[in-house]
């Protein structure tokens, strides 16, 4: 019976390590993607007075599509309420894009970068989170 218990404990330990690694990979990939997309959007709107272009619309739509796909995967691993702010800000960006409100559009970009950076810090595996 001792050998069976040891095997089960090893299996549970390996399973927990696997889940932790999977969470880290999915979370880091998803948040890094949205963070990098924010920088690409910032570069695209730099110096513009009119942000109602098809390229920007497509970039924001792609960002929203990617986020919805990744958010669905992350919801199994992290609390959905912790990450829903990014989706909300992306939806706001789409409205600001249609209204040509560049000031609010930039504010939403900054909010998304802030959330993504913060989530990467506290959801990722690092010494501070372990201790």
């Amino acid at each position: 019976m001792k050998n069976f218990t040891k095997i089960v404990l090893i299996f549970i330990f390996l399973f927990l390590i696997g889940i932790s690694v999977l969470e880290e990979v999915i979370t880091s990939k998803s948040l890094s993607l949205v963070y990098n997309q924010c920088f690409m959007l910032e570069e695209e709107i730099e110096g513009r007075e009119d942000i109602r272009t098809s390229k920007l619309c497509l970039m924001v739509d792609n960002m929203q599509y990617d986020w919805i796909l990744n958010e669905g995967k992350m919801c199994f691993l992290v609390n959905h309420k912790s990450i829903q702010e990014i989706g909300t800000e992306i939806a706001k960006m789409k409205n600001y894009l249609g209204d040509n409100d560049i000031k609010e559009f930039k504010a939403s970009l900054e909010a998304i970068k802030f959330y993504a950076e913060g989530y990467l810090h506290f959801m990722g595996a690092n010494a501070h989170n372990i201790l």
Side-chain angles (χ1 to χ4, degrees):
M1 199 61 154
K2 281 186 171 184
N3 288 335
F4 180 74
T5 305
K6 289 178 184 179
I7 291 172
V8 169
L9 287 175
I10 290 172
F11 178 73
I12 291 171
F13 182 70
L14 292 175
F15 179 74
L16 291 175
I17 289 174
I19 292 292
S20 298
V21 169
L22 180 67
E23 176 189 8
E24 176 65 26
V25 168
I26 290 174
T27 304
S28 295
K29 179 185 166 214
S30 302
L31 293 173
S32 295
L33 177 64
V34 77
Y35 193 73
N36 291 333
Q37 287 173 328
C38 285
F39 283 113
M40 290 188 302
L41 282 166
E42 281 181 338
E43 288 176 5
E44 188 64 33
I45 64 171
E46 190 172 323
R48 289 184 182 261
E49 292 181 18
D50 187 6
I51 58 173
R52 293 177 293 186
T53 65
S54 59
K55 185 174 182 179
L56 278 172
C57 286
L58 186 60
M59 289 174 76
V60 173
D61 285 342
N62 286 340
M63 180 186 224
Q64 186 175 36
Y65 178 77
D66 290 341
W67 179 251
I68 289 171
L69 287 178
N70 291 328
E71 185 181 26
K73 295 173 192 171
M74 289 174 33
C75 285
F76 292 111
L77 303 170
V78 297
N79 186 354
H80 183 264
K81 291 182 180 181
S82 299
I83 57 173
Q84 72 183 9
E85 290 91 358
I86 292 177
T88 302
E89 289 299 325
I90 293 172
K92 287 180 184 178
M93 277 180 18
K94 289 182 78 167
N95 289 333
Y96 299 143
L97 189 64
D99 296 339
N100 198 32
D101 191 347
I102 195 164
K103 182 179 176 183
E104 293 297 326
F105 186 85
K106 287 181 179 179
S108 285
L109 272 177
E110 289 300 318
I112 292 170
K113 286 188 338 190
F114 173 77
Y115 291 135
E117 187 175 10
Y119 297 156
L120 275 170
H121 178 70
F122 84 79
M123 287 183 187
N126 58 42
H128 185 270
N129 291 348
I130 295 170
L131 301 174

